[in-house]
Amino acid sequence: MCGIAGEYGGGIEPDAAKRMLKRLMHRGPDGEGSIEVAGSWLGHRRLAIVDVEGGKQPLKTGSGDLFFVGNGEIYNHEEVRETLSDDCFLTRSDNEVALHLYEEKGPDSFSEMHGMYAFIIAGEDGRFVAARDPVGIKPLYWARRNGHVRFASELRIFDEDWQPEVEAFPPGHYWTPEEGLVRFASAVPQDEEDLDERFEGPSEPGAPIPEEILREVREKLIATVEGQMMGDVPVGVFLSGGLDSNLVAAIAARWYEERGERLKTFAVGLEDSPDLKAARAVAEYLGTEHHESVYTAEDALEVLPEVVRCIENYDPSLVRSAVPNYILARFTAEHVKVVLTGEGADEIFAGYDYLAEFETESDLHAELVRIIEGLHNLNLQRGDRVTMAHGLEARVPFLEREMIELGLALPAGWKLAGEDQPEKRLLRQAFDGWLPDDFLWRKKAQFGDGSGAASVLQEKMEESVTEEEFEREHQEVDPPLRTREEVAYYRIFAEQFGEVRPRQTLGRFATV
């Protein structure tokens, strides 16, 4: 996990390059590298996880005519290596497979990689390509001006005069000067007409789920979590006490136990908050090395301005969940460099309460596709920023593309709750016996609510904006701000980023 920057179209002023790399330091505290290639420029800040000693970037080909800077992890890098020339690799870095895929097969081959990534490649012969993973787990922004194209991992990395042109780089695309934007993969399967034919069964809410389906879901999640344990540094788990992180922790704990080690888990909350208590109980059951941070209302309010700037967003629900996540990431980074999270399970397995309102299977499926394709603008943006603000890599096992494909192929009746059954019953049944029923069937709570942050922030922020100020200010943004709380967050946001334009992927203007 790292931070990247780059420019195509005639290089970049040395002072501007230095500023960008300095602003990326929080994403990569372990090293810095940059290079000018045929008028283009590539910059990198490194968080060393795979090939700690030899994986410094920019990476290069053996001939020295292609260079690479990347952010993220390629989980199937060993499999991809076997499809490429034996003698082309100079390091053990997982990112290097992207460089050689491009060298040997061209940019359409990026679809062969499973992982979370954003990267830029430049060649001495003028070749240039930038790409982002299909789900948009890793961030990438770009701006175009007078034949120059500038890239960076975060909006705030760009100089202020460039920010009006900044847009989110679309997931699952690559860009070259010759072809422009080209889609190479999607977050969800493109042949959706085939999904309903994969599994057969009644689709009414509460319908029985065949054991073979439960086994397939269980085995897929186990394989995904274990595949994301890769690296040369310890991997921990964010443990909220909710179903999704409980399952990830249970799988990871078994993986470590088989190697004679203990999983490290991390939780955060106000004193006596439900999440903190639940996480403590789950950690004790799993036998993990558990760490927790108890924060106060004053702590939450103190970090709020930095959190809004960090997530580059002012949506109230996102801010409320980001504050405890920011505090959690800050103290977790004192212990590990990598954590697994439960992000994405609600979108794949219909975990949100409002999804029960959809009456037809096709309507539910369309809504799940919509929210999965929008994750890169909201939850994934929050998850990346609050962790990387402290040099911590967060991995999301539920959002590997094969896991998404499996989840979307399941009939609605196997995902929706029946009478007296909570949401995500399929996941709960699939892991029957892995956790006590009290943990496995605990009712879902939003992280900001369960950790105690939501009520504190909502009350204090609403108090900071009068009704008169709300009436005057909420119409200044299109679409209008919805509450006094949102006006308070937008004030902080506007101080950092100035006027918002609807075409930008900022705040609630997620249009890409």
Side-chain angles (χ1 to χ4, degrees), residues 351-424:
Y352 295 117
D353 289 342
Y354 83 95
L355 294 173
E357 300 171 4
F358 287 85
E359 297 181 353
T360 70
E361 192 165 339
S362 60
D363 287 345
L364 174 63
H365 176 77
E367 177 64 6
L368 294 179
V369 168
R370 186 192 71 80
I371 59 179
I372 289 170
E373 290 182 334
L375 274 172
H376 70 100
N377 284 325
L378 295 171
N379 292 3
L380 290 175
Q381 180 173 324
R382 174 207 62 201
D384 173 83
R385 301 304 192 282
V386 298
T387 52
M388 290 308 296
H390 308 290
L392 178 70
E393 173 177 296
R395 299 177 179 175
V396 284
F398 280 102
L399 290 177
E400 277 206 24
R401 289 174 66 211
E402 290 183 355
M403 197 76 223
I404 294 174
E405 180 179 2
L406 174 59
L408 290 180
L410 299 170
W414 293 343
K415 287 183 278 187
L416 291 177
E419 186 176 355
D420 299 324
Q421 292 180 321
E423 81 294 332
K424 292 180 291 193

Side-chain angles (χ1 to χ4, degrees), residues 325-346:
N325 267 296
Y326 182 92
I327 297 171
L328 174 61
R330 184 173 60 188
F331 100 91
T332 299
E334 299 172 3
H335 302 274
V336 295
K337 285 187 173 183
V338 182
V339 290
L340 304 182
T341 80
E343 196 74 65
D346 287 328

Side-chain angles (χ1 to χ4, degrees), residues 109-236:
S109 66
F110 295 156
S111 61
E112 297 180 22
M113 297 184 293
H114 296 168
M116 52 180 192
Y117 52 81
F119 58 79
I120 310 169
I121 300 172
E124 294 287 4
D125 57 0
R127 283 181 290 174
F128 189 98
V129 63
R132 188 182 182 193
D133 71 74
V135 183
I137 303 171
K138 287 297 97 190
L140 186 63
Y141 290 88
W142 65 332
R144 290 163 283 185
R145 177 195 292 177
N146 301 326
H148 292 248
V149 188
R150 187 169 289 187
F151 300 84
S153 294
E154 298 179 15
L155 170 70
R156 55 181 171 168
I157 308 306
F158 293 84
D159 285 340
E160 187 174 345
D161 62 325
W162 276 79
Q163 287 188 3
E165 280 82 38
V166 176
E167 298 176 289
F169 192 91
H173 286 72
Y174 65 79
W175 179 86
T176 65
E178 298 79 19
E179 298 181 85
L181 274 175
V182 177
R183 181 186 289 275
F184 66 87
S186 301
V188 300
Q190 292 299 288
D191 298 326
E192 294 186 17
E193 65 273 9
D194 297 334
L195 290 179
D196 292 337
E197 300 175 4
R198 182 171 178 188
F199 299 116
E200 296 181 358
S203 58
E204 297 82 6
I209 305 171
E211 178 56 38
E212 60 266 26
I213 300 303
L214 298 176
R215 182 173 59 252
E216 181 169 358
V217 170
R218 180 172 59 250
E219 291 176 351
K220 178 61 68 177
L221 184 59
I222 291 171
T224 301
V225 171
E226 292 182 345
Q228 294 196 10
M229 301 299 288
M230 59 163 275
D232 299 329
V233 297
V235 178

